[in-house]
Amino acid sequence: MTESSKTHVILLSCGSFNPITKGHIHMFEKARDYLHKTGRFIVIGGIVSPVHDSYGKPGLVSSRHRLAMCQLAVQSSDWIRVDPWECYQDTWQTTCSVLEHHRDLMKRVTGCILSNVNTPSSTPVIGQPQNQNQSLYQNHSNMKHKPTAVKVWGKLSESFSRMCCVRPQMDHFPFVDENANLGTTMRYEEIELRILLLCGSDLLESFCIPGLWKDSDMEVIVGDFGIVVVPRDGADTEKIMNHSSILRKFKDNIVIVKDDMNHPMSIVSSTKSRLALQHGDGHVVDYLSQPVIDYILQSQLYINASG
């Protein structure tokens, strides 16, 4: 498959990130590598979206700290960024709402409709603009200027930084103003773009708990968007999916990341990280990056059992 015929993917990870661990970043890297190996996808970007303070999880530190730690954790990455939209809302947002926000945002930024996982052949894709303005990359005399994956994510990131809405105490985070007039800043051609939810097998298991998720939300998350699952601790994902009629229905929209090396994913655990910090356990360096550790110590976070 040529680059332009592959599905371009943005991986979105939602969670507390309390704190963000090496394992969280490893999940992005692992998922990207696996998707690339399939030959069907090109991952052009990753988004870390910390949950709102009102989520109510015990020991959840302020979003101001969690956003700062996330930013430190991805500072060396050229494809993963932190998005503060969830934290800036008036109240907690569902995962479904976060996915829909980013879908609508990408639609506004690109001027195109993102493809739907279920109907990739008939859904308008990047390159089918909603008006007749010429594509930014369109050059009929020289087709070698078609956008590459790097160009697409680079241009999106440029737009994010241009439309920055400075918020108190978080002025180092780019924030897209949804009321901004984006005009015709970008148009892409012949690229299918999807936003996929990146998660661990623990979230997949939560889909099977009666009453925890609305069926309508699950239909949107798995049916309209799709998920990429990085299994943890040898979880039997096939068995998990068989326990949910919705997961079985949209099984083709679920990508299970297979790992020949069977790399343990326990370091994803923020709980283990907090316990290590509380007990002065030197193994905390196995869980957290040094900049995050330095920030935690400087801000005196997670010192006691209450968080």
Side-chain angles (χ1 to χ4, degrees):
M1 296 179 69
T2 63
E3 182 178 287
S4 61
S5 65
K6 294 179 181 179
T7 299
H8 288 57
V9 170
I10 294 174
L11 295 172
L12 171 66
S13 180
C14 300
S16 300
F17 301 107
N18 188 43
I20 188 169
T21 69
K22 289 181 179 180
H24 289 124
I25 305 303
H26 180 62
M27 283 180 64
F28 275 98
E29 300 288 353
K30 196 172 180 180
R32 181 178 69 163
D33 290 347
Y34 181 78
L35 290 174
H36 286 177
K37 286 178 182 177
T38 67
R40 297 184 293 120
F41 303 97
I42 296 178
V43 177
I44 65 170
I47 300 173
V48 176
S49 183
V51 76
H52 192 274
D53 286 341
S54 65
Y55 181 57
K57 190 173 183 178
L60 186 67
V61 303
S62 167
S63 59
R64 176 173 65 89
H65 291 305
R66 289 182 290 114
L67 284 168
M69 288 185 285
C70 287
Q71 188 68 23
L72 289 169
V74 305
Q75 63 183 350
S76 62
S77 175
D78 61 356
W79 69 281
I80 306 172
R81 70 176 182 84
V82 181
D83 189 278
W85 180 81
E86 272 195 81
C87 297
Y88 287 160
Q89 302 313 296
D90 293 333
T91 187
W92 170 75
Q93 302 293 308
T94 65
T95 301
C96 182
S97 297
V98 178
L99 282 163
E100 290 175 334
H101 159 74
H102 285 283
R103 177 198 61 197
D104 295 343
L105 184 59
M106 291 299 159
K107 186 193 304 183
R108 284 178 56 80
V109 171
T110 62
C112 305
I113 300 174
L114 274 69
S115 68
N116 183 296
V117 171
N118 296 321
T119 54
S121 60
S122 60
T123 303
V125 298
I126 295 294
Q128 298 178 1
Q130 296 168 324
N131 56 46
Q132 300 301 314
N133 292 309
Q134 186 176 13
S135 166
L136 177 68
Y137 286 114
Q138 191 171 15
N139 185 336
H140 297 291
S141 63
N142 189 354
M143 293 304 290
K144 70 180 180 180
H145 290 297
K146 286 184 179 181
T148 63
V150 174
K151 285 181 180 178
V152 173
W153 187 242
K155 286 295 179 181
L156 290 175
S157 296
E158 285 176 15
S159 287
F160 293 152
S161 59
R162 281 201 302 268
M163 298 172 290
C164 180
C165 178
V166 177
R167 301 294 179 99
Q169 298 181 325
M170 298 182 187
D171 56 359
H172 56 291
F173 288 98
F175 184 84
V176 178
D177 183 354
E178 295 181 36
N179 297 316
N181 180 11
L182 308 185
T184 58
T185 54
M186 289 186 298
R187 295 292 184 271
Y188 304 113
E189 59 184 55
E190 298 180 8
I191 288 181
E192 182 183 346
L193 176 63
R194 296 177 186 170
I195 297 175
L196 300 179
L197 180 67
L198 173 65
C199 64
S201 50
D202 54 338
L203 186 139
L204 196 66
E205 287 180 293
S206 74
F207 284 154
C208 303
I209 300 175
L212 186 60
W213 293 82
K214 291 182 179 178
D215 286 351
S216 57
D217 280 5
M218 287 180 60
E219 291 264 354
V220 171
I221 293 169
V222 189
D224 290 352
F225 288 92
I227 60 179
V228 179
V229 182
V230 180
R232 300 183 188 177
D233 302 324
D236 188 340
T237 52
E238 287 292 332
K239 184 177 180 180
I240 294 171
M241 287 190 287
N242 285 334
H243 280 92
S244 166
S245 59
I246 294 178
L247 294 181
R248 290 196 302 271
K249 178 181 178 182
F250 296 110
K251 188 175 181 179
D252 291 342
N253 293 347
I254 302 173
V255 178
I256 306 297
V257 176
K258 296 178 174 60
D259 186 356
D260 295 334
M261 297 177 62
N262 194 29
H263 191 286
M265 294 302 296
S266 59
I267 56 172
V268 173
S269 174
S270 295
T271 301
K272 289 186 177 181
S273 303
R274 293 194 301 272
L275 289 173
L277 287 163
Q278 289 160 13
H279 294 114
D281 188 343
H283 289 294
V284 69
V285 296
D286 296 330
Y287 307 138
L288 308 176
S289 66
Q290 192 59 51
V292 172
I293 293 174
D294 292 342
Y295 182 90
I296 289 172
L297 295 177
Q298 180 182 0
S299 304
Q300 293 290 290
L301 303 176
Y302 313 117
I303 299 303
N304 51 56
S306 64

